[in-house]
Amino acid sequence: MVRIGILKERADRRVTVLAPAGVERLKDKAEILVQRDAGRSAGFTNDAYEAAGGKLMGSAEEVMSGADILLSYDHHYDGEELNGDKTFIGVFNFLWMPEQVGRYLHPGVTVHSLDLIPRSTLAQAMDVLSSVGSISGYQAVLLAAERSLATVPMITSAGGTLRPAQFLVMGAGVAGLQAIATARRLGAVVKAYDVRAASKEEVESLGATFIEVEGAVDDSNGGGYASQQSEAFLQKIRDRIHEEASKADVVITTARVPGRKAPLLITEEMVMGMKPGAVVVDIAAATGGNCALTKADKTVMHNEVTILGPTSIECSCAHSTSFLLSNNYVAFIEHLLKNKEVDADDPILRSTLVVRDGASVNERVLALQTAAN
Ligand code: NAD
């Protein structure tokens, strides 16, 4: 029987990628080795893992040497000695860190990175980026509401009426749409912008106003991903966004382009034009940020505007994020175990496979490595 190991994440991650319910689902197909306290900061006890059929191990080394498949969120293999063939499964974001692939180029090592899952119906249950995006969008709104000097809903009280907060959401993918839905539930008036014209309908269906700027390169055939826009078009957007940002109490930015630095959408000049007490939450901070003043994982105060750049905001809701990730990982592992050999024709395994027996094999990652050299 194959042995699957769950590694405990770094302290600031707090999540786990296999909850006890996931162990329960996999226990007939694999022996599950759980590093002690792997789920603790996400609210899953060691007892719960044991009750689900997992075997507790004292250290990461024990899990590494005992398991054939090693699961983590983004625990990067650090050259620890390996015995036998190992498959690492995680969300390694090699599109933004192609140089990290080098760590895994050892005979017998295979790596699947789940952020490379294709956006297909078949792979939907494994889509970790959607899970992380949903929680990130939700959390970004709560963070903004907490930091804002103004309340979000309209409140009528003895002292008068507080008007609803104005939110501006940049990027209407999974995270942006969840931010819009959450802000609307709290009673905010929301405007949103995305380069993909297809997102207009989704934005409007959530009760927000879509900001239309003509002249975008719409990548309808890009597998659901946005393409890089021209500098002239980005300037046209900036003029319109400048106007909208000056009216907003909260700006949430979520725009990303896979494998590239996040597009700059909120310039310093725009921040200078914002209201005192306004808040920017830039959840594209991990890939450079959409706001010129964003500093990863720091709070920046500029002209009385607060700019937050959380890089792992999904981890602050660790239990819920772990629940979703666990379901994604189980769906992927079930798919992997069905295909003993990585079938070159299987679109899911072909897309996620980055290292095979110590060799770098992923076309998208290889193209980035070549471009960097
Ligand atoms: P993402 O995280 O890659 O990017 C976030 C958003 O930023 C995207 O909507 C993108 O268009 C937008 N963006 C990029 N550059 C921009 C710019 N310069 N200005 C404004 N916005 C910009 O995107 P995502 O959340 O992964 O979702 C992208 C699409 O994929 C969505 O349509 C989503 O519904 C779709 N999707 C499909 C599936 C599936 O079919 N299984 C799963 C998840 C997402």
Side-chain angles (χ1 to χ4, degrees), residues 177-367:
L177 290 173
Q178 192 58 245
I180 295 168
T182 306
R184 291 284 301 136
R185 282 184 205 121
L186 282 180
V189 173
V190 185
K191 288 189 181 173
Y193 170 72
D194 195 295
V195 272
R196 289 179 306 106
S199 63
K200 175 177 161 42
E201 214 173 296
E202 292 166 312
V203 166
E204 289 176 347
S205 73
L206 292 169
T209 304
F210 188 74
I211 298 170
E212 282 180 271
V213 181
E214 283 178 5
V217 177
D218 178 30
D219 192 356
S220 313
N221 301 319
Y225 291 110
S227 43
Q228 188 82 345
Q229 298 291 324
S230 73
E231 190 48 43
F233 179 69
L234 291 177
Q235 185 53 48
K236 205 169 161 186
I237 299 167
R238 284 199 274 270
D239 293 342
R240 179 68 193 280
I241 295 309
H242 195 150
E243 185 193 329
E244 296 295 345
S246 67
K247 297 183 233 161
D249 300 292
V250 169
V251 177
I252 292 180
T253 63
T254 73
R256 302 189 312 166
V257 180
R260 300 187 199 223
K261 193 177 176 304
L264 175 65
L265 301 178
I266 304 292
T267 61
E268 181 173 355
E269 201 191 344
M270 288 181 203
V271 174
M272 292 301 287
M274 288 176 72
K275 297 193 257 187
V279 180
V280 178
V281 179
D282 185 352
I283 61 170
T287 59
N290 295 139
C291 175
L293 299 168
T294 298
K295 286 201 166 53
D297 292 319
K298 297 264 185 302
T299 300
V300 175
M301 285 298 291
H302 195 82
N303 195 39
E304 304 306 316
V305 175
T306 305
I307 300 137
L308 305 168
T311 60
S312 50
I313 193 170
E314 72 282 7
C315 297
S316 52
C317 222
H319 191 78
S320 302
T321 301
S322 301
F323 172 87
L324 299 178
L325 288 175
S326 180
N327 288 337
N328 296 145
Y329 273 63
V330 169
F332 180 78
I333 291 162
E334 284 173 340
H335 185 77
L336 182 71
L337 294 181
K338 253 190 254 153
N339 300 267
K340 282 222 162 41
E341 267 297 298
V342 174
D343 178 354
D345 291 330
D346 180 289
I348 297 174
L349 299 181
R350 194 182 57 225
S351 300
T352 57
L353 185 68
V354 177
V355 176
R356 182 181 206 166
D357 193 12
S360 183
V361 293
N362 188 283
E363 280 171 24
R364 291 175 75 192
V365 177
L366 282 170

Side-chain angles (χ1 to χ4, degrees), residues 49-71:
Y49 279 103
E50 273 191 315
K55 187 172 170 194
L56 291 179
M57 313 293 274
S59 66
E61 292 70 34
E62 279 179 76
V63 178
M64 293 275 276
S65 67
D68 310 300
I69 298 178
L70 288 146
L71 308 183

Side-chain angles (χ1 to χ4, degrees), residues 4-267:
I4 297 177
I6 312 170
L7 294 167
K8 183 170 181 254
E9 306 294 330
R10 337 191 292 242
D12 63 338
R13 283 288 178 261
R14 300 182 62 212
V15 295
T16 180
V17 296
L18 205 65
V23 173
E24 184 91 44
R25 275 174 66 186
L26 290 174
K27 72 176 181 206
D28 295 337
K29 302 176 187 81
E31 187 184 347
I32 319 279
L33 314 179
V34 184
Q35 187 180 344
R36 188 171 284 279
D37 292 339
R40 195 168 167 204
S41 51
F44 302 110
T45 62
N46 292 323
D47 288 351
Y49 279 103
E50 273 191 315
K55 187 172 170 194
L56 291 179
M57 313 293 274
S59 66
E61 292 70 34
E62 279 179 76
V63 178
M64 293 275 276
S65 67
D68 310 300
I69 298 178
L70 288 146
L71 308 183
S72 71
Y73 187 36
D74 61 353
H75 170 103
H76 272 295
Y77 168 64
D78 215 8
E80 299 97 329
E81 211 172 300
L82 298 175
N83 60 330
D85 294 351
K86 301 285 175 199
T87 296
F88 291 86
I89 299 175
V91 182
F92 298 121
N93 286 314
F94 291 126
L95 291 184
W96 282 285
M97 296 182 281
E99 72 289 351
Q100 295 289 343
V101 175
R103 291 170 182 259
Y104 298 91
L105 304 183
H106 303 287
V109 172
T110 294
V111 180
H112 287 275
S113 195
L114 302 193
D115 50 300
L116 299 170
I117 290 269
R119 254 75 202 272
S120 62
T121 307
L122 189 62
Q124 209 156 11
M126 312 170 197
D127 194 343
V128 292
L129 292 185
S130 288
S131 298
V132 169
S134 298
I135 302 282
S136 303
Y138 160 82
Q139 276 290 127
V141 171
L142 299 191
L143 189 58
E146 202 253 325
R147 292 303 185 100
S148 174
L149 301 182
T151 50
V152 180
M154 185 177 88
I155 295 178
T156 303
S157 187
T161 299
L162 296 166
R163 58 165 189 79
Q166 312 266 330
F167 273 55
L168 172 63
V169 176
M170 301 294 292
V174 177
L177 290 173
Q178 192 58 245
I180 295 168
T182 306
R184 291 284 301 136
R185 282 184 205 121
L186 282 180
V189 173
V190 185
K191 288 189 181 173
Y193 170 72
D194 195 295
V195 272
R196 289 179 306 106
S199 63
K200 175 177 161 42
E201 214 173 296
E202 292 166 312
V203 166
E204 289 176 347
S205 73
L206 292 169
T209 304
F210 188 74
I211 298 170
E212 282 180 271
V213 181
E214 283 178 5
V217 177
D218 178 30
D219 192 356
S220 313
N221 301 319
Y225 291 110
S227 43
Q228 188 82 345
Q229 298 291 324
S230 73
E231 190 48 43
F233 179 69
L234 291 177
Q235 185 53 48
K236 205 169 161 186
I237 299 167
R238 284 199 274 270
D239 293 342
R240 179 68 193 280
I241 295 309
H242 195 150
E243 185 193 329
E244 296 295 345
S246 67
K247 297 183 233 161
D249 300 292
V250 169
V251 177
I252 292 180
T253 63
T254 73
R256 302 189 312 166
V257 180
R260 300 187 199 223
K261 193 177 176 304
L264 175 65
L265 301 178
I266 304 292
T267 61

